[in-house]
Amino acid sequence: MMFNFAPVAQAEPLKTYMAKTFGWMFLGLATTFAVMVAAYLSGAVALLLNYPAMMILLAAELITVIGLSARIGKLSIGAARGMFFLYAVLNGLVFSTYFLYFNATSLVFAFGVTGLYFGVMALVGYFTKVDLSRLQPILIGGLILLIVFNLLGMFFGFGGMERLLCFVGVAIFLGFTAYDVQKIKAMHAAYSHDTAMLARASILSALQLYLDFINLFLYILRLFGNRE
């Protein structure tokens, strides 16, 4: 009697998986930067300064992030990647307006500092033996408080609290960076038997790292940027 056993797909090594995930994140950042510069140099940024256009963009960003996060298990790998890059493009359009408020030196400086801090915390998340999942309630709670205070600041102003708020924001997203990197290792272990789901999880992880980097950049820019 002959038995035919289908080969079991083997997950790629953790280092390869991590490299691919960070690769998607960097491609997302590069897309955002390219769209940001193109929109500014082409003059298209002027179209984004009116209130309805900006609200539409921000709503589209929110819908894209929620859709990708909520449906990651049902989306095809191609659709997940497409939604990730759609978000990167939308973010680039929104960020193009920053050229009107901050000089180029400030933007480059903030990007460099963000890259340094992000890289250090990513290494911490990868190599630490401490279970960072215990930080999740603190990080989520801090994020909610940041959102609330930022919304209040839009209507009532920040006063002397803005710098303190920015320092808190930097601390929270540094924590999220280490936590999300460690979570990639957990996802690799959890989905090692399902290569398709592992590929989708890689895109979701890339989005989370992308958001960590972007938010860290924004708070550093608010702290040290020179406004036009």
Side-chain angles (χ1 to χ4, degrees):
M1 182 180 291
M2 299 282 295
F3 293 95
N4 292 320
F5 295 98
V8 178
Q10 295 295 316
E12 58 196 346
L14 176 60
K15 288 184 179 180
T16 303
Y17 182 72
M18 292 285 290
K20 284 185 177 180
T21 301
F22 273 90
W24 287 117
M25 185 207 75
F26 287 125
L27 283 174
L29 288 174
T31 300
T32 295
F33 179 75
V35 172
M36 178 181 173
V37 173
Y40 176 72
L41 293 179
S42 67
V45 64
L47 302 175
L48 306 175
L49 294 178
N50 66 81
Y51 184 78
M54 186 58 69
M55 288 300 101
I56 290 171
L57 277 177
L58 293 175
E61 283 189 311
L62 185 61
I63 292 170
T64 303
V65 167
I66 293 175
L68 178 56
S69 301
R71 295 179 54 81
I72 190 64
K74 299 177 181 179
L75 292 171
S76 68
I77 296 171
R81 290 172 181 168
M83 291 182 71
F84 172 65
F85 283 107
L86 172 62
Y87 180 78
V89 169
L90 293 171
N91 225 18
L93 292 173
V94 172
F95 277 22
S96 64
T97 61
Y98 279 69
F99 280 113
L100 305 177
Y101 302 108
F102 296 93
N103 60 46
T105 302
S106 293
L107 291 168
V108 172
F109 175 78
F111 186 86
V113 173
T114 301
L116 177 62
Y117 286 176
F118 181 91
V120 169
M121 295 309 293
L123 290 173
V124 169
Y126 184 80
F127 288 107
T128 186
K129 302 300 182 182
V130 177
D131 181 10
L132 298 179
S133 64
R134 288 180 250 176
L135 294 178
Q136 185 185 33
I138 298 172
L139 295 173
I140 296 297
L143 180 59
I144 293 172
L145 286 176
L146 275 179
I147 293 171
V148 170
F149 279 111
N150 275 300
L151 288 174
L152 291 174
M154 290 172 60
F155 295 101
F156 303 108
F158 293 101
M161 294 291 291
E162 182 169 10
R163 287 187 65 82
L164 176 60
L165 186 69
C166 289
F167 278 117
V168 172
V170 168
I172 287 173
F173 285 103
L174 287 175
F176 264 119
T177 298
Y179 167 74
D180 286 333
V181 169
Q182 190 177 78
K183 194 164 70 172
I184 296 173
K185 297 167 68 176
M187 284 190 172
H188 180 269
Y191 298 120
S192 58
H193 63 286
D194 187 343
T195 54
M197 188 60 204
L198 200 60
R200 297 187 194 98
S202 177
I203 298 301
L204 182 60
S205 296
L207 174 64
Q208 291 167 336
L209 292 175
Y210 172 96
L211 290 172
D212 294 339
F213 190 99
I214 289 295
N215 281 286
L216 189 57
F217 168 77
L218 290 177
Y219 281 110
I220 289 174
L221 183 62
R222 285 169 61 180
L223 271 173
F224 303 111
N226 293 319
R227 298 178 185 269
E228 295 284 13

